[in-house]
Amino acid sequence: AKIPTYDALPAFKNFPGCAWSVWGSEDQLGTVNLLTDKVVKAAASEEIKLGRSVSLNWPLNFPEKPMFDRQTPQIDMKVREPQDLGVRDDEIHINTQSGTQWDGMRHFPLLEHGVFYNKFSSTRSTPLDSLPKGILPLPNPHQIDPAHARIGIQNWATHGICGRGVLLDLVSYQTSLSANKTLPYDPWSSHAITVPELEACAAAQGVKFRRGDILLVRVGFIKKYYDASQPERDGLQGLQGQETFAGIEQSEDMKRFLWNNHFAAIASDQPALERWPPPEGTLHLHQTILGLWGMPIGEFFDLEKLSRVCAETGRYTFFFSSWPLNMSPSPQTLNLQMSTS
Ligand code: UVW
């Protein structure tokens, strides 16, 4: 079916490029709809050539000191029997932004309008100022808007995010262009990656995009992490809002590039895909990508080995398969916590 171009999509209030009408008002898959049987079958038959698996999975406990004031994952080992014969159940408590992960639709609304993808409400029925101060669970699970459950990650988890993957290896591309063969930007600075850079990298690698591609952009964050000393790694943990890292620029051109190429999902090796922080007065891309398009944003994808295999084979496309955490939120399991301080 024909999908409107970015400029032909309607606006939602001050946001151009709203795709809520593309797959219907009840849709909960967003751009994952582009991963049709036909698209996945073509990817499998054309891309699986060597049969070699390359994991992109960075450990859940990386970065060792989480950014954005997040908590380190914890494992509680539960002893199963009173005699302690050694049988253990592990209970793992994680912030879902740990390690390699997809941002789901419930991660980011259009902040000033209180709506997630497809206008599902992001607001609570209990006003913030009527709650006591501190981090607290809301007392009554039924105060959670049902939208929080309906657009959870379970929709992508049960559909799968599988199809043709495309690596744009900016690190190798930019390094090869520089006179002294070093990366000409610091991946831990707020350097902005532009559309012409992405397009030039794709052209140099011989990549032509197709509808439904899963785009992976290697910016260099994880490479630098591997090369860094422990104190340097620990220094990444700024207080909320002080982190800086390179990523795709917040611009209308970037939105046009992402939408008009009809990517099903986009991921990178850094914490947020987009450069951080966004320049003063610019809206985060998260709001458009998740809130207006329902496009999965992959973060902390370890693209180091993939980069080596692509360089070795001279091929930057492959079959990509990902099955997000299948946690189906219900009023019983969804314990909304908030900071009111
Ligand atoms: C932002 O909030 C921008 O990034 P993350 O997806 O890591 O939360």
Side-chain angles (χ1 to χ4, degrees), residues 173-200:
Y173 171 68
Q174 293 286 22
T175 303
S176 73
L177 290 185
S178 88
N180 56 2
K181 299 292 170 244
T182 54
L183 189 59
Y185 62 85
D186 177 358
W188 292 3
S189 73
S190 60
H191 171 79
I193 290 157
T194 62
V195 172
E197 272 172 278
L198 295 177
E199 286 177 337

PDB file of all heavy atoms in Angstrom, residues 173-200:
ATOM      1  N   TYR A 173      33.530   4.412   8.133  1.00  0.00           N
ATOM      2  CA  TYR A 173      33.452   5.328   6.992  1.00  0.00           C
ATOM      3  C   TYR A 173      34.200   6.633   7.294  1.00  0.00           C
ATOM      4  O   TYR A 173      35.057   7.061   6.525  1.00  0.00           O
ATOM      5  CB  TYR A 173      31.984   5.590   6.653  1.00  0.00           C
ATOM      6  CG  TYR A 173      31.794   6.675   5.635  1.00  0.00           C
ATOM      7  CD1 TYR A 173      32.211   6.494   4.323  1.00  0.00           C
ATOM      8  CD2 TYR A 173      31.220   7.893   6.001  1.00  0.00           C
ATOM      9  CE1 TYR A 173      32.067   7.508   3.386  1.00  0.00           C
ATOM     10  CE2 TYR A 173      31.062   8.902   5.074  1.00  0.00           C
ATOM     11  CZ  TYR A 173      31.487   8.722   3.769  1.00  0.00           C
ATOM     12  OH  TYR A 173      31.349   9.728   2.854  1.00  0.00           O
ATOM     13  N   GLN A 174      33.895   7.222   8.459  1.00  0.00           N
ATOM     14  CA  GLN A 174      34.513   8.517   8.800  1.00  0.00           C
ATOM     15  C   GLN A 174      36.004   8.369   9.049  1.00  0.00           C
ATOM     16  O   GLN A 174      36.787   9.249   8.707  1.00  0.00           O
ATOM     17  CB  GLN A 174      33.847   9.115  10.052  1.00  0.00           C
ATOM     18  CG  GLN A 174      32.402   9.517   9.853  1.00  0.00           C
ATOM     19  CD  GLN A 174      32.257  10.781   9.020  1.00  0.00           C
ATOM     20  OE1 GLN A 174      33.165  11.139   8.258  1.00  0.00           O
ATOM     21  NE2 GLN A 174      31.137  11.447   9.125  1.00  0.00           N
ATOM     22  N   THR A 175      36.389   7.242   9.652  1.00  0.00           N
ATOM     23  CA  THR A 175      37.813   7.010   9.924  1.00  0.00           C
ATOM     24  C   THR A 175      38.573   6.879   8.610  1.00  0.00           C
ATOM     25  O   THR A 175      39.674   7.420   8.454  1.00  0.00           O
ATOM     26  CB  THR A 175      37.973   5.736  10.788  1.00  0.00           C
ATOM     27  OG1 THR A 175      37.208   5.912  11.970  1.00  0.00           O
ATOM     28  CG2 THR A 175      39.417   5.481  11.160  1.00  0.00           C
ATOM     29  N   SER A 176      37.967   6.184   7.647  1.00  0.00           N
ATOM     30  CA  SER A 176      38.667   5.985   6.368  1.00  0.00           C
ATOM     31  C   SER A 176      38.845   7.312   5.622  1.00  0.00           C
ATOM     32  O   SER A 176      39.779   7.476   4.857  1.00  0.00           O
ATOM     33  CB  SER A 176      37.903   4.983   5.496  1.00  0.00           C
ATOM     34  OG  SER A 176      36.735   5.600   5.001  1.00  0.00           O
ATOM     35  N   LEU A 177      37.950   8.269   5.863  1.00  0.00           N
ATOM     36  CA  LEU A 177      38.054   9.561   5.164  1.00  0.00           C
ATOM     37  C   LEU A 177      39.069  10.502   5.801  1.00  0.00           C
ATOM     38  O   LEU A 177      39.566  11.411   5.149  1.00  0.00           O
ATOM     39  CB  LEU A 177      36.696  10.279   5.197  1.00  0.00           C
ATOM     40  CG  LEU A 177      35.542   9.717   4.380  1.00  0.00           C
ATOM     41  CD1 LEU A 177      34.352  10.658   4.476  1.00  0.00           C
ATOM     42  CD2 LEU A 177      35.951   9.514   2.924  1.00  0.00           C
ATOM     43  N   SER A 178      39.326  10.311   7.104  1.00  0.00           N
ATOM     44  CA  SER A 178      40.137  11.315   7.802  1.00  0.00           C
ATOM     45  C   SER A 178      41.621  11.108   7.469  1.00  0.00           C
ATOM     46  O   SER A 178      42.081   9.977   7.262  1.00  0.00           O
ATOM     47  CB  SER A 178      39.907  11.264   9.307  1.00  0.00           C
ATOM     48  OG  SER A 178      40.771  10.339   9.895  1.00  0.00           O
ATOM     49  N   ALA A 179      42.350  12.222   7.437  1.00  0.00           N
ATOM     50  CA  ALA A 179      43.756  12.196   7.011  1.00  0.00           C
ATOM     51  C   ALA A 179      44.580  11.298   7.931  1.00  0.00           C
ATOM     52  O   ALA A 179      45.429  10.538   7.469  1.00  0.00           O
ATOM     53  CB  ALA A 179      44.303  13.613   6.996  1.00  0.00           C
ATOM     54  N   ASN A 180      44.314  11.381   9.246  1.00  0.00           N
ATOM     55  CA  ASN A 180      45.151  10.583  10.159  1.00  0.00           C
ATOM     56  C   ASN A 180      44.475   9.285  10.594  1.00  0.00           C
ATOM     57  O   ASN A 180      44.873   8.653  11.573  1.00  0.00           O
ATOM     58  CB  ASN A 180      45.568  11.415  11.383  1.00  0.00           C
ATOM     59  CG  ASN A 180      44.351  11.978  12.097  1.00  0.00           C
ATOM     60  OD1 ASN A 180      43.217  11.703  11.692  1.00  0.00           O
ATOM     61  ND2 ASN A 180      44.573  12.756  13.141  1.00  0.00           N
ATOM     62  N   LYS A 181      43.439   8.895   9.870  1.00  0.00           N
ATOM     63  CA  LYS A 181      42.743   7.609  10.097  1.00  0.00           C
ATOM     64  C   LYS A 181      42.253   7.459  11.543  1.00  0.00           C
ATOM     65  O   LYS A 181      42.388   6.404  12.170  1.00  0.00           O
ATOM     66  CB  LYS A 181      43.640   6.409   9.713  1.00  0.00           C
ATOM     67  CG  LYS A 181      44.052   6.401   8.254  1.00  0.00           C
ATOM     68  CD  LYS A 181      42.849   6.139   7.329  1.00  0.00           C
ATOM     69  CE  LYS A 181      43.161   6.351   5.862  1.00  0.00           C
ATOM     70  NZ  LYS A 181      42.443   7.410   5.189  1.00  0.00           N
ATOM     71  N   THR A 182      41.720   8.548  12.071  1.00  0.00           N
ATOM     72  CA  THR A 182      41.053   8.458  13.372  1.00  0.00           C
ATOM     73  C   THR A 182      39.639   9.015  13.206  1.00  0.00           C
ATOM     74  O   THR A 182      39.377   9.802  12.279  1.00  0.00           O
ATOM     75  CB  THR A 182      41.773   9.271  14.477  1.00  0.00           C
ATOM     76  OG1 THR A 182      41.915  10.598  14.004  1.00  0.00           O
ATOM     77  CG2 THR A 182      43.123   8.677  14.839  1.00  0.00           C
ATOM     78  N   LEU A 183      38.772   8.634  14.117  1.00  0.00           N
ATOM     79  CA  LEU A 183      37.388   9.118  14.044  1.00  0.00           C
ATOM     80  C   LEU A 183      37.394  10.637  14.262  1.00  0.00           C
ATOM     81  O   LEU A 183      37.921  11.109  15.271  1.00  0.00           O
ATOM     82  CB  LEU A 183      36.553   8.404  15.125  1.00  0.00           C
ATOM     83  CG  LEU A 183      35.049   8.606  15.079  1.00  0.00           C
ATOM     84  CD1 LEU A 183      34.466   8.127  13.753  1.00  0.00           C
ATOM     85  CD2 LEU A 183      34.398   7.866  16.236  1.00  0.00           C
ATOM     86  N   PRO A 184      36.829  11.426  13.327  1.00  0.00           N
ATOM     87  CA  PRO A 184      36.951  12.881  13.443  1.00  0.00           C
ATOM     88  C   PRO A 184      35.997  13.521  14.456  1.00  0.00           C
ATOM     89  O   PRO A 184      35.879  14.740  14.500  1.00  0.00           O
ATOM     90  CB  PRO A 184      36.653  13.365  12.029  1.00  0.00           C
ATOM     91  CG  PRO A 184      35.846  12.286  11.411  1.00  0.00           C
ATOM     92  CD  PRO A 184      36.226  11.003  12.065  1.00  0.00           C
ATOM     93  N   TYR A 185      35.299  12.734  15.251  1.00  0.00           N
ATOM     94  CA  TYR A 185      34.473  13.322  16.320  1.00  0.00           C
ATOM     95  C   TYR A 185      34.575  12.416  17.535  1.00  0.00           C
ATOM     96  O   TYR A 185      34.962  11.245  17.434  1.00  0.00           O
ATOM     97  CB  TYR A 185      33.015  13.485  15.870  1.00  0.00           C
ATOM     98  CG  TYR A 185      32.311  12.183  15.523  1.00  0.00           C
ATOM     99  CD1 TYR A 185      31.701  11.407  16.505  1.00  0.00           C
ATOM    100  CD2 TYR A 185      32.269  11.721  14.198  1.00  0.00           C
ATOM    101  CE1 TYR A 185      31.071  10.207  16.172  1.00  0.00           C
ATOM    102  CE2 TYR A 185      31.637  10.535  13.869  1.00  0.00           C
ATOM    103  CZ  TYR A 185      31.041   9.779  14.865  1.00  0.00           C
ATOM    104  OH  TYR A 185      30.424   8.602  14.552  1.00  0.00           O
ATOM    105  N   ASP A 186      34.208  12.981  18.672  1.00  0.00           N
ATOM    106  CA  ASP A 186      34.230  12.201  19.917  1.00  0.00           C
ATOM    107  C   ASP A 186      32.828  11.630  20.143  1.00  0.00           C
ATOM    108  O   ASP A 186      31.869  12.389  20.308  1.00  0.00           O
ATOM    109  CB  ASP A 186      34.635  13.129  21.080  1.00  0.00           C
ATOM    110  CG  ASP A 186      34.609  12.418  22.423  1.00  0.00           C
ATOM    111  OD1 ASP A 186      34.251  11.215  22.470  1.00  0.00           O
ATOM    112  OD2 ASP A 186      34.950  13.075  23.424  1.00  0.00           O
ATOM    113  N   PRO A 187      32.679  10.299  20.160  1.00  0.00           N
ATOM    114  CA  PRO A 187      31.330   9.723  20.333  1.00  0.00           C
ATOM    115  C   PRO A 187      30.712  10.043  21.689  1.00  0.00           C
ATOM    116  O   PRO A 187      29.510   9.873  21.861  1.00  0.00           O
ATOM    117  CB  PRO A 187      31.561   8.211  20.218  1.00  0.00           C
ATOM    118  CG  PRO A 187      32.952   8.021  19.760  1.00  0.00           C
ATOM    119  CD  PRO A 187      33.719   9.282  19.997  1.00  0.00           C
ATOM    120  N   TRP A 188      31.510  10.510  22.619  1.00  0.00           N
ATOM    121  CA  TRP A 188      30.964  10.893  23.921  1.00  0.00           C
ATOM    122  C   TRP A 188      30.776  12.410  24.018  1.00  0.00           C
ATOM    123  O   TRP A 188      30.708  12.978  25.102  1.00  0.00           O
ATOM    124  CB  TRP A 188      31.870  10.402  25.050  1.00  0.00           C
ATOM    125  CG  TRP A 188      31.892   8.899  25.195  1.00  0.00           C
ATOM    126  CD1 TRP A 188      31.255   7.982  24.421  1.00  0.00           C
ATOM    127  CD2 TRP A 188      32.596   8.143  26.186  1.00  0.00           C
ATOM    128  NE1 TRP A 188      31.516   6.710  24.855  1.00  0.00           N
ATOM    129  CE2 TRP A 188      32.340   6.772  25.940  1.00  0.00           C
ATOM    130  CE3 TRP A 188      33.434   8.479  27.266  1.00  0.00           C
ATOM    131  CZ2 TRP A 188      32.884   5.746  26.736  1.00  0.00           C
ATOM    132  CZ3 TRP A 188      33.973   7.463  28.047  1.00  0.00           C
ATOM    133  CH2 TRP A 188      33.700   6.108  27.783  1.00  0.00           C
ATOM    134  N   SER A 189      30.745  13.089  22.867  1.00  0.00           N
ATOM    135  CA  SER A 189      30.387  14.516  22.848  1.00  0.00           C
ATOM    136  C   SER A 189      29.049  14.617  22.130  1.00  0.00           C
ATOM    137  O   SER A 189      28.612  13.651  21.502  1.00  0.00           O
ATOM    138  CB  SER A 189      31.436  15.314  22.066  1.00  0.00           C
ATOM    139  OG  SER A 189      31.265  15.037  20.679  1.00  0.00           O
ATOM    140  N   SER A 190      28.436  15.793  22.158  1.00  0.00           N
ATOM    141  CA  SER A 190      27.093  15.900  21.560  1.00  0.00           C
ATOM    142  C   SER A 190      27.159  16.169  20.053  1.00  0.00           C
ATOM    143  O   SER A 190      26.308  16.872  19.501  1.00  0.00           O
ATOM    144  CB  SER A 190      26.276  16.975  22.271  1.00  0.00           C
ATOM    145  OG  SER A 190      26.948  18.196  22.132  1.00  0.00           O
ATOM    146  N   HIS A 191      28.126  15.572  19.399  1.00  0.00           N
ATOM    147  CA  HIS A 191      28.292  15.716  17.941  1.00  0.00           C
ATOM    148  C   HIS A 191      27.017  15.257  17.205  1.00  0.00           C
ATOM    149  O   HIS A 191      26.452  14.214  17.514  1.00  0.00           O
ATOM    150  CB  HIS A 191      29.493  14.861  17.505  1.00  0.00           C
ATOM    151  CG  HIS A 191      29.640  14.758  16.031  1.00  0.00           C
ATOM    152  ND1 HIS A 191      30.197  15.759  15.266  1.00  0.00           N
ATOM    153  CD2 HIS A 191      29.287  13.774  15.156  1.00  0.00           C
ATOM    154  CE1 HIS A 191      30.191  15.391  13.998  1.00  0.00           C
ATOM    155  NE2 HIS A 191      29.642  14.195  13.903  1.00  0.00           N
ATOM    156  N   ALA A 192      26.598  16.050  16.210  1.00  0.00           N
ATOM    157  CA  ALA A 192      25.379  15.725  15.460  1.00  0.00           C
ATOM    158  C   ALA A 192      25.714  15.035  14.149  1.00  0.00           C
ATOM    159  O   ALA A 192      26.537  15.529  13.370  1.00  0.00           O
ATOM    160  CB  ALA A 192      24.615  17.007  15.165  1.00  0.00           C
ATOM    161  N   ILE A 193      25.077  13.909  13.908  1.00  0.00           N
ATOM    162  CA  ILE A 193      25.258  13.195  12.635  1.00  0.00           C
ATOM    163  C   ILE A 193      24.148  13.624  11.687  1.00  0.00           C
ATOM    164  O   ILE A 193      22.959  13.593  12.051  1.00  0.00           O
ATOM    165  CB  ILE A 193      25.252  11.679  12.891  1.00  0.00           C
ATOM    166  CG1 ILE A 193      26.540  11.319  13.633  1.00  0.00           C
ATOM    167  CG2 ILE A 193      25.139  10.889  11.595  1.00  0.00           C
ATOM    168  CD1 ILE A 193      26.465  10.064  14.402  1.00  0.00           C
ATOM    169  N   THR A 194      24.539  14.015  10.481  1.00  0.00           N
ATOM    170  CA  THR A 194      23.573  14.611   9.555  1.00  0.00           C
ATOM    171  C   THR A 194      23.109  13.591   8.508  1.00  0.00           C
ATOM    172  O   THR A 194      23.741  12.551   8.319  1.00  0.00           O
ATOM    173  CB  THR A 194      24.217  15.803   8.811  1.00  0.00           C
ATOM    174  OG1 THR A 194      25.307  15.288   8.049  1.00  0.00           O
ATOM    175  CG2 THR A 194      24.717  16.867   9.775  1.00  0.00           C
ATOM    176  N   VAL A 195      22.046  13.958   7.808  1.00  0.00           N
ATOM    177  CA  VAL A 195      21.532  13.096   6.736  1.00  0.00           C
ATOM    178  C   VAL A 195      22.575  12.911   5.620  1.00  0.00           C
ATOM    179  O   VAL A 195      22.813  11.775   5.203  1.00  0.00           O
ATOM    180  CB  VAL A 195      20.195  13.650   6.180  1.00  0.00           C
ATOM    181  CG1 VAL A 195      19.759  12.870   4.951  1.00  0.00           C
ATOM    182  CG2 VAL A 195      19.137  13.633   7.254  1.00  0.00           C
ATOM    183  N   PRO A 196      23.227  13.987   5.135  1.00  0.00           N
ATOM    184  CA  PRO A 196      24.225  13.756   4.079  1.00  0.00           C
ATOM    185  C   PRO A 196      25.318  12.769   4.504  1.00  0.00           C
ATOM    186  O   PRO A 196      25.789  11.973   3.699  1.00  0.00           O
ATOM    187  CB  PRO A 196      24.797  15.162   3.808  1.00  0.00           C
ATOM    188  CG  PRO A 196      23.706  16.086   4.224  1.00  0.00           C
ATOM    189  CD  PRO A 196      22.980  15.433   5.364  1.00  0.00           C
ATOM    190  N   GLU A 197      25.708  12.807   5.792  1.00  0.00           N
ATOM    191  CA  GLU A 197      26.720  11.838   6.259  1.00  0.00           C
ATOM    192  C   GLU A 197      26.185  10.413   6.163  1.00  0.00           C
ATOM    193  O   GLU A 197      26.886   9.491   5.754  1.00  0.00           O
ATOM    194  CB  GLU A 197      27.049  12.099   7.728  1.00  0.00           C
ATOM    195  CG  GLU A 197      28.145  13.099   7.984  1.00  0.00           C
ATOM    196  CD  GLU A 197      28.233  13.402   9.470  1.00  0.00           C
ATOM    197  OE1 GLU A 197      27.442  14.237   9.953  1.00  0.00           O
ATOM    198  OE2 GLU A 197      29.073  12.789  10.147  1.00  0.00           O
ATOM    199  N   LEU A 198      24.932  10.217   6.579  1.00  0.00           N
ATOM    200  CA  LEU A 198      24.342   8.873   6.533  1.00  0.00           C
ATOM    201  C   LEU A 198      24.225   8.406   5.086  1.00  0.00           C
ATOM    202  O   LEU A 198      24.530   7.248   4.767  1.00  0.00           O
ATOM    203  CB  LEU A 198      22.963   8.853   7.216  1.00  0.00           C
ATOM    204  CG  LEU A 198      22.930   9.140   8.719  1.00  0.00           C
ATOM    205  CD1 LEU A 198      21.491   9.169   9.236  1.00  0.00           C
ATOM    206  CD2 LEU A 198      23.739   8.101   9.506  1.00  0.00           C
ATOM    207  N   GLU A 199      23.806   9.320   4.224  1.00  0.00           N
ATOM    208  CA  GLU A 199      23.633   8.939   2.812  1.00  0.00           C
ATOM    209  C   GLU A 199      24.979   8.641   2.147  1.00  0.00           C
ATOM    210  O   GLU A 199      25.093   7.700   1.362  1.00  0.00           O
ATOM    211  CB  GLU A 199      22.874  10.041   2.057  1.00  0.00           C
ATOM    212  CG  GLU A 199      21.401  10.025   2.453  1.00  0.00           C
ATOM    213  CD  GLU A 199      20.559  11.118   1.820  1.00  0.00           C
ATOM    214  OE1 GLU A 199      21.122  12.161   1.417  1.00  0.00           O
ATOM    215  OE2 GLU A 199      19.327  10.945   1.752  1.00  0.00           O
ATOM    216  N   ALA A 200      25.988   9.432   2.492  1.00  0.00           N
ATOM    217  CA  ALA A 200      27.316   9.197   1.903  1.00  0.00           C
ATOM    218  C   ALA A 200      27.871   7.858   2.397  1.00  0.00           C
ATOM    219  O   ALA A 200      28.496   7.121   1.620  1.00  0.00           O
ATOM    220  CB  ALA A 200      28.255  10.344   2.272  1.00  0.00           C
TER     221      ALA A 200
END
